[in-house]
């Protein structure tokens, strides 16, 4: 849960600071609304105090909220794992493993056949994106 909150905070901070690197965005932002840091900190501390008081008055709301954030954290972790596996499969260095279109040796085929089914089912399989190869120029007749 804290990972998501921290990650959101830092990602938001990066998005807020990026316009300082682009001079053309400063002219656009000059016409936009202004932010007073003192008022913003004051509003944030009042919001934190309100949420703390809510947890004191109705603890069941905070308990249910904490359970929800824990469940969302587990789902986010699984989503990150799936995204990592997908990206790893798409951009990993080529290996000696059998890929589509190759003929496996007898040793490799036996190793694949004797692999544990639980280990094979544990990781989702994504199709690799085919990369077109350079065409051979036709022979002139």
């Amino acid at each position: 849960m804290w990972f998501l909150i921290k990650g959101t905070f830092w990602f938001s901070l990066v998005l807020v600071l990026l316009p300082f690197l682009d001079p053309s965005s400063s002219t656009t932002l000059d016409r936009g609304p202004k932010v007073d840091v003192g008022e913003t900190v004051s509003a944030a501390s009042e919001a934190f105090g309100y949420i703390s008081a809510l947890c004191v008055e109705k603890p069941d709301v905070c308990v249910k909220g904490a359970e929800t954030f824990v469940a969302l954290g587990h789902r986010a972790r699984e989503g990150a794992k799936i995204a990592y596996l997908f990206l790893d499969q798409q951009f990993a260095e080529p290996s000696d493993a059998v890929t589509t279109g190759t003929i496996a040796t007898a040793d490799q085929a036996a190793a694949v056949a004797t692999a544990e089914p639980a280990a094979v089912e544990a990781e989702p399989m994504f199709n690799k994106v085919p990369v077109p190869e350079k065409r051979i120029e036709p022979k002139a007749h």
Side-chain angles (χ1 to χ4, degrees), residues 10-26:
W10 288 112
F11 184 68
S12 300
L13 187 64
V14 167
L15 291 179
V16 167
L17 295 177
L18 277 177
F20 288 111
L21 300 175
D22 185 18
S24 64
S25 65
S26 62

Side-chain angles (χ1 to χ4, degrees), residues 78 81-82 85 115-126:
E78 287 301 313
K81 178 181 171 186
I82 290 171
L85 291 173
E116 295 181 28
V120 173
E121 294 175 7
E123 294 184 8
M125 296 301 295
F126 300 104

Side-chain angles (χ1 to χ4, degrees), residues 28-79:
T28 306
L29 292 175
D30 287 342
R31 290 176 278 167
K34 305 293 182 221
V35 177
D36 183 23
V37 177
E39 291 177 4
T40 304
V41 170
S42 174
S45 63
E46 288 179 19
F48 181 74
Y50 176 74
I51 291 172
S52 299
L54 179 69
C55 288
V56 170
E57 291 175 12
K58 297 185 179 189
D60 56 327
V61 172
C62 289
V63 169
K64 194 62 169 171
E67 290 174 359
T68 302
F69 277 113
V70 168
L72 290 175
H74 286 285
R75 286 191 171 270
R77 183 176 54 211
E78 287 301 313

